[in-house]
Amino acid sequence: MVLDLYTDWISQPCRAVSMLLMDNNIEHQVYEIGIMKGETKSAAYKQINPSGKVPSIVDDGFHLGESHTIMRYLCESRNLPDHYYPKDLKQRAKVDYWLDWHHSNLRHGSLRLIGANVFGPIKQFSEQKIEELRKEGNDVLKSSLTFMDENLSKNNYIAGGNQLSIADIALVCEVVMLPISGASYEDYPNVQAWVKRLSTEIKSWDEANATLNKFLASQKK
């Protein structure tokens, strides 16, 4: 059976899952679910994913959410090339480390800035709350990008190794959407080189990022 993917093309986790699917020619049907339209909170969608988040997949009746878990599942269930999620226990642990680190560091900082600069005005947060979110977001992102830059000064890929892993896909999708939150990675040369490298190695890069790039271009006008 064809795997069903429920996604929003602006979302970092959604684009990461889509890249893994497309780069490995895994047949799937895409269902677009608009986060900003409130579609993830609908009763119909919560039948797919009770947490009301994207991405989600349905694979022969098996429902699964959380992008990192989905990518691990795809690597194992579709027997994808080993570099994505290595069989070697120590190398796999490095990939898992960066996937876990992502949520409490890079993504945490990004979401705080999005809360301050995007949702703050829409939801009429107080100036104090916006400033608190902005300060935390900036501090966490500076620390996170510095840590990544130091690691990438010694490695071409975030978890080491000679080829990209699902950790690279997850983190790079976060980094390239930082401008939405008002942040940048321009001061981190090794992160910049890594992004450029992955943009040529991930075959579906342009397709998966098309909606994001269109949105970013519209913000510059």
Side-chain angles (χ1 to χ4, degrees):
M1 295 182 67
V2 176
L3 179 147
D4 293 333
L5 171 66
Y6 296 81
T7 191
D8 184 322
W9 287 106
I10 292 289
S11 161
Q12 169 274 325
C14 291
R15 286 181 289 110
V17 170
S18 293
M19 286 178 181
L20 187 64
L21 286 166
M22 290 191 286
D23 270 31
N24 290 281
N25 299 312
I26 298 173
E27 188 176 3
H28 62 286
Q29 177 67 46
V30 174
Y31 297 91
E32 295 189 30
I33 305 294
I35 296 171
M36 296 299 288
K37 296 177 182 177
E39 293 174 351
T40 58
K41 305 303 181 184
S42 70
Y45 182 68
K46 285 193 173 183
Q47 294 296 311
I48 303 298
N49 185 345
S51 73
K53 296 181 179 181
V54 285
S56 297
I57 63 168
V58 180
D59 186 23
D60 194 19
F62 175 60
H63 293 234
L64 191 62
E66 295 297 330
S67 61
H68 295 171
T69 301
I70 292 170
M71 289 194 288
R72 291 181 180 112
Y73 171 78
L74 292 172
C75 288
E76 295 290 349
S77 66
R78 268 55 180 191
N79 194 28
L80 298 188
D82 190 69
H83 64 87
Y84 285 112
Y85 196 51
K87 295 290 190 295
D88 178 82
L89 185 61
K90 292 180 179 178
Q91 189 58 39
R92 176 172 288 200
K94 291 181 181 179
V95 174
D96 283 331
Y97 168 86
W98 283 100
L99 291 173
D100 292 342
W101 178 91
H102 175 207
H103 275 309
S104 55
N105 293 276
L106 182 66
R107 184 153 182 77
H108 176 75
S110 177
L111 289 176
R112 288 298 180 272
L113 276 188
I114 288 174
N117 298 331
V118 179
F119 290 110
I122 294 173
K123 297 187 176 182
Q124 298 182 325
F125 292 168
S126 69
E127 283 301 317
Q128 180 181 350
K129 183 174 181 179
I130 288 175
E131 285 306 312
E132 287 174 353
L133 287 170
R134 185 174 291 138
K135 183 180 186 307
E136 182 183 2
N138 282 326
D139 288 348
V140 173
L141 277 180
K142 182 178 180 179
S143 173
S144 298
L145 289 168
T146 298
F147 185 56
M148 288 178 64
D149 204 65
E150 290 171 353
N151 179 68
L152 289 166
S153 72
K154 303 184 288 285
N155 301 289
N156 285 334
Y157 303 98
I158 201 67
N162 298 316
Q163 291 177 279
L164 64 85
S165 71
I166 57 175
D168 289 287
I169 298 173
L171 271 66
V172 78
C173 285
E174 192 81 62
V175 168
V176 296
M177 72 178 295
L178 288 178
I180 286 181
S181 67
S184 170
Y185 57 96
E186 291 180 356
D187 293 334
Y188 304 91
N190 298 310
V191 173
Q192 284 186 300
W194 170 73
V195 171
K196 185 176 181 179
R197 185 179 307 115
L198 294 179
S199 73
T200 63
E201 294 183 9
I202 297 173
K203 293 176 290 188
S204 58
W205 181 268
D206 290 339
E207 183 177 356
N209 286 322
T211 300
L212 172 66
N213 290 336
K214 184 178 180 181
F215 178 81
L216 291 173
S218 72
Q219 297 301 104
K220 295 179 181 179
K221 293 180 180 177

